[in-house]
Amino acid sequence: EAGVVQSPRYKIIEKKQPVAFWCNPISGHNTLYWYRQNLGQGPELLIRYENEEAVDDSQLPKDRFSAERLKGVDSTLKIQPAELGDSAVYLCASSSQGRGSTDTQYFGPGTRLTVL
Amino acid sequence: DQQVKQNSPSLSVQEGRISILNCDYTNSMFDYFLWYKKYPAEGPTFLISISSIKDKNEDGRFTVFLNKSAKHLSLHIVPSQPGDSAVYFCAASGSNTNAGKSTFGDGTTLTVKP
């Protein structure tokens, strides 16, 4: 079974430019997460989807970040415009949990973003 | 305020010896704890978990201990192998509040020397 797929793996852009990341979760996983991981730190949740619905986006900087999960499968995370401080690894994860169940997440390899 | 803390950024052990990685948490609503392992250029991979109704969970060479009164958990790896060298993240979630949201520590880099 294929794991979580993310693309691109690496992205270098200049500040103020837009950038988008794509994620394809494990087949059948209804929950999808986007995390940002800064150097030397753990992943921080940006947004969590249950199927098509964003159930937790409290940590998403909504002035420049947006996300969508059309049809409850693939997801795209966008930054517009990018700032220097957005340089990080953006991780996508998925899980098959139902309400109240345990939360074992399966992570993709991440997209390393460098903003110059 | 960081709710999950891994106070040791790094740990180095000799092959065959025990590795002990520690994690502290502050939120008493957390009732499920996980350890993830991360190699360079890869995403974290689930390793082992424990529910708050238990104080120990074992899976092969990996054992997680939970001390609820101290809000502390630890991961024991016995015997340690060079392939265990990676960054280990502790994560915590609460099934009764915002189910599905995991809070991660900053990780401990384990180096196992041959």
Side-chain angles (χ1 to χ4, degrees):
Chain A
E1 179 182 272
V4 176
V5 179
Q6 289 187 249
S7 69
R9 291 295 310 275
Y10 304 91
K11 189 73 176 179
I12 301 174
I13 62 171
E14 294 189 348
K15 63 181 180 181
K16 301 185 182 180
Q17 294 300 305
V19 65
F21 315 123
W22 175 81
C23 174
N24 181 243
I26 292 174
S27 178
H29 281 192
N30 62 311
T31 306
L32 184 145
Y33 312 76
W34 282 104
Y35 288 89
R36 176 170 58 191
Q37 185 178 15
N38 293 312
L39 188 64
Q41 297 182 12
E44 293 180 294
L45 182 69
L46 292 173
I47 189 168
R48 174 166 66 97
Y49 283 94
E50 298 272 351
N51 299 305
E52 302 91 350
E53 182 184 2
V55 296
D56 184 357
D57 63 354
S58 57
Q59 301 301 312
L60 189 72
K62 298 181 183 64
D63 57 337
R64 297 184 300 108
F65 286 65
S66 64
E68 61 181 11
R69 191 184 183 196
L70 300 176
K71 301 181 181 178
V73 181
D74 294 4
S75 178
T76 302
L77 177 68
K78 298 179 181 178
I79 309 174
Q80 182 171 12
E83 297 179 353
L84 295 176
D86 296 331
S87 295
V89 175
Y90 291 82
L91 293 162
C92 178
S94 68
S95 69
S96 60
Q97 69 149 46
R99 226 168 247 291
S101 66
T102 58
D103 178 25
T104 300
Q105 298 172 33
Y106 297 84
F107 284 83
T111 297
R112 180 175 295 277
L113 174 67
T114 301
V115 182
L116 303 176
Chain B
D1 180 36
Q2 205 167 10
Q3 297 186 67
V4 178
K5 293 183 180 180
Q6 295 177 254
N7 291 317
S8 298
S10 63
L11 174 68
S12 180
V13 300
Q14 206 67 36
E15 180 179 7
R17 307 295 284 267
I18 183 172
S19 295
I20 300 177
L21 295 93
N22 294 302
C23 177
D24 297 292
Y25 62 96
T26 58
N27 190 338
S28 58
M29 298 301 292
F30 289 146
D31 59 7
Y32 192 68
F33 306 90
L34 310 95
W35 285 93
Y36 288 85
K37 176 179 178 180
K38 184 183 183 303
Y39 291 118
E42 295 183 11
T45 303
F46 170 73
L47 187 59
I48 192 170
S49 63
I50 187 167
S51 165
S52 61
I53 62 174
K54 296 184 176 181
D55 55 18
K56 176 183 175 181
N57 188 27
E58 188 173 353
D59 183 2
R61 297 185 297 113
F62 303 91
T63 303
V64 56
F65 296 91
L66 175 62
N67 183 333
K68 284 182 61 180
S69 61
K71 293 190 176 68
H72 176 84
L73 63 155
S74 61
L75 174 68
H76 292 212
I77 306 173
V78 182
S80 301
Q81 299 174 355
D84 296 328
S85 297
V87 179
Y88 290 78
F89 291 100
C90 170
S93 64
S95 58
N96 292 325
T97 57
N98 204 355
K101 178 175 181 175
S102 286
T103 301
F104 286 78
D106 286 342
T108 296
T109 300
L110 173 65
T111 302
V112 181
K113 298 179 178 179

